[in-house]
């Protein structure tokens, strides 16, 4: 089969790799019908040291079940399913607490002999616990929205949930990428009365307004913090959803949050140290967030997506074939595309 392999910074290739096979009785085999390129894929694309042997990549996909292992009981051949961005058994003590990303028997796509999601097919470990069955559809727009459940919409939702967003909450979202826009949509869904989106790309912030942003702040750094405070009578917002992962973004979040508020980080941190000293302590600021347990959230979000009440698939602004994936990476890295959908 054909699949995406990364060899180092800027070096993504589509190659012929071995066809996946059932290796454990808890496995399922999927034929991928939709996948995509994630903003977090751009970190290795921008900085991964060159290597002689490439590694598989991709962690967001929908598929049709082609075969199941002897112990799989909830899935059958022909089912349409969504795969969260990590696999999990959904039965260990962490999964039962809603923390599937810490599953005792889980793991990552593209690692330890497991296929990446940007390919024609995938072997799914812990299939009963990992995969969520979907209603069959051939509607491209609905499939795109269902695909966001695997990562970006669930991650935006996680940011809002961890921050405690509700109908009495004002929110600042930092970042106009796919996760940031999903966080705007999630905050709106949870009833936030005001959502300030910090972003400077008009096509993206326009979508942010469609998703529910009440204000847009294009400024960054101290100027951006001051603008948020101007919009909130000098106080800042109750919550900040930091969806970038850089230290300057976190610093803006700390500056934009009101006393007693919460900064929720879901952008993968690209730094080891940050402003967590006296400023946060004196203002009683909570810092939370982390890796989103998408498997926990998918059942909660699914009906709203299927019924069309929310359309997170609008974050996809380019669709390509599998062989075009290297160009898709370049387009996202050069900010020519917000998020690229792959249709094998």
């Amino acid at each position: 089969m054909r699949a995406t392999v990364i060899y180092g910074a800027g070096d993504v290739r589509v190659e012929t790799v071995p066809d996946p096979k059932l290796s454990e009785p808890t496995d399922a085999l999927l034929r991928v019908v939709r996948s995509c390129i994630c903003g977090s894929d751009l970190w290795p694309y921008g900085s991964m040291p060159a290597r002689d042997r490439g590694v598989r990549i991709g962690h967001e996909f929908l598929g049709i079940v082609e075969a199941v292992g002897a112990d799989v009981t909830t899935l059958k051949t022909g089912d349409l399913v969504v795969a969260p961005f990590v696999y999990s058994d959904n039965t260990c003590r962490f999964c039962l607490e809603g923390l599937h990303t810490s599953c005792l028997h889980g793991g990552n796509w593209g690692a330890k002999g497991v296929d990446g999601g940007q390919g024609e097919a995938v072997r799914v470990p812990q299939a009963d616990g990992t995969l969520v069955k979907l209603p069959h559809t051939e509607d491209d727009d609905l499939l795109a929205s269902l695909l966001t459940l695997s990562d970006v919409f669930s991650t935006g939702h996680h940011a809002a949930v961890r921050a405690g967003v509700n109908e009495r909450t004002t929110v600042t979202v930092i970042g106009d990428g796919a996760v940031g826009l999903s966080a705007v949509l999630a905050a709106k869904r949870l009833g936030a009365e005001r959502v300030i989106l910090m972003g400077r790309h008009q096509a993206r912030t326009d979508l942010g307004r469609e998703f529910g942003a009440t204000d847009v702040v294009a400024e960054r750094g101290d100027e951006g913090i001051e603008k948020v405070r101007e919009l909130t009578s000098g106080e800042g917002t109750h919550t900040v959803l930091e969806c970038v992962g850089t230290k300057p973004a976190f610093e803006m979040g700390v500056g934009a949050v009101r006393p007693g508020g919460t900064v929720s980080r879901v952008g993968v941190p690209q730094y080891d140290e940050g402003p967590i000293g006296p400023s946060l302590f004196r203002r009683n600021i909570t810092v939370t967030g982390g890796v989103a347990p998408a498997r926990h959230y998918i059942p909660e979000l699914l009906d709203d997506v299927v019924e069309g009440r929310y359309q997170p698939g609008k974050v996809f602004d380019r669709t390509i074939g599998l062989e075009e994936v290297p160009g898709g990476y370049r387009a996202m890295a050069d900010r020519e595309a917000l998020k690229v959908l792959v249709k094998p």
Side-chain angles (χ1 to χ4, degrees):
M1 71 167 187
R2 302 287 284 172
T4 304
V5 183
I6 184 169
Y7 283 82
D11 188 2
V12 168
R13 311 174 196 177
V14 178
E15 299 182 337
T16 299
V17 301
D19 291 338
K21 299 179 180 180
L22 296 173
S23 62
E24 300 292 338
T26 51
D27 288 349
L29 296 183
L30 299 188
R31 172 175 57 85
V32 175
V33 297
R34 296 291 188 279
S35 63
C36 58
I37 301 170
C38 183
S40 62
D41 293 331
L42 298 182
W43 294 118
Y45 183 73
S47 62
M48 177 178 163
R51 50 190 297 163
D52 293 331
R53 296 184 61 186
V55 294
R56 300 283 294 281
I57 194 168
H59 55 259
E60 304 162 273
F61 55 97
L62 307 178
I64 299 291
V65 177
E66 300 266 279
V68 297
D71 291 349
V72 175
T73 62
T74 63
L75 302 166
K76 65 182 186 302
T77 301
D79 285 342
L80 176 67
V81 294
V82 58
F85 65 85
V86 298
Y87 62 86
S88 60
D89 62 18
N90 202 31
T91 59
C92 81
R93 58 181 175 271
F94 291 110
C95 288
L96 294 177
E97 293 171 7
L99 199 60
H100 295 71
T101 48
S102 295
C103 178
L104 296 173
H105 306 107
N108 297 311
W109 306 110
K112 298 182 179 179
V114 177
D115 301 294
Q118 292 167 14
E120 292 180 318
V122 176
R123 177 180 71 86
V124 177
Q126 304 292 343
D128 275 334
T130 299
L131 299 173
V132 179
K133 192 182 302 186
L134 303 172
H136 273 279
T137 180
E138 296 183 2
D139 183 291
D140 284 336
D141 291 339
L142 179 55
L143 286 168
S145 285
L146 291 169
L147 180 57
T148 68
L149 296 172
S150 67
D151 190 343
V152 288
F153 191 29
S154 294
T155 295
H157 180 68
H158 182 59
V161 168
R162 294 293 293 173
V165 173
N166 57 46
E167 63 277 0
R168 299 177 301 279
T169 306
T170 54
V171 181
T172 296
V173 175
I174 298 178
D176 58 9
V179 172
L181 295 174
S182 296
V184 170
L185 190 62
K188 183 67 174 179
R189 179 179 175 275
L190 293 174
E193 66 180 36
R194 189 172 197 178
V195 181
I196 301 170
L197 173 59
M198 299 190 77
R200 55 173 55 186
H201 305 90
Q202 186 172 345
R204 301 182 181 194
T205 57
D206 285 349
L207 181 57
R209 289 188 184 276
E210 181 180 340
F211 278 180
T214 54
D215 305 272
V216 170
V217 171
E219 295 83 357
R220 295 182 179 178
D222 290 342
E223 190 178 357
I225 293 169
E226 182 59 31
K227 185 65 175 179
V228 172
R229 293 192 168 276
E230 287 178 8
L231 291 170
T232 55
S233 302
E235 294 182 356
T237 53
H238 296 95
T239 62
V240 172
L241 314 184
E242 195 279 279
C243 302
V244 178
T246 63
K247 186 176 178 181
F250 182 41
E251 291 171 338
M252 282 201 302
V254 172
V257 72
R258 76 194 295 271
T262 300
V263 178
S264 181
R265 302 182 304 161
V266 293
V268 180
Q270 303 301 305
Y271 53 93
D272 295 319
E273 298 179 353
I276 59 171
S279 174
L280 271 72
F281 182 80
R282 288 194 299 267
R283 296 163 60 211
N284 283 284
I285 302 304
T286 297
V287 177
T288 185
V291 184
R295 179 61 181 83
H296 175 64
Y297 294 128
I298 290 171
E300 175 185 347
L301 299 171
L302 181 57
D303 284 348
D304 277 346
V305 171
V306 170
E307 297 300 325
R309 288 186 285 271
Y310 298 93
Q311 296 176 293
K314 290 184 176 183
V315 297
F316 294 108
D317 59 348
R318 184 173 298 190
T319 299
I320 61 173
L322 182 59
E323 298 295 334
E324 301 171 279
V325 164
Y329 273 82
R330 288 192 294 272
M332 285 183 61
D334 294 341
R335 293 187 176 269
E336 295 172 359
L338 168 58
K339 189 168 179 67
V340 173
L341 186 146
V342 182
K343 188 174 179 180

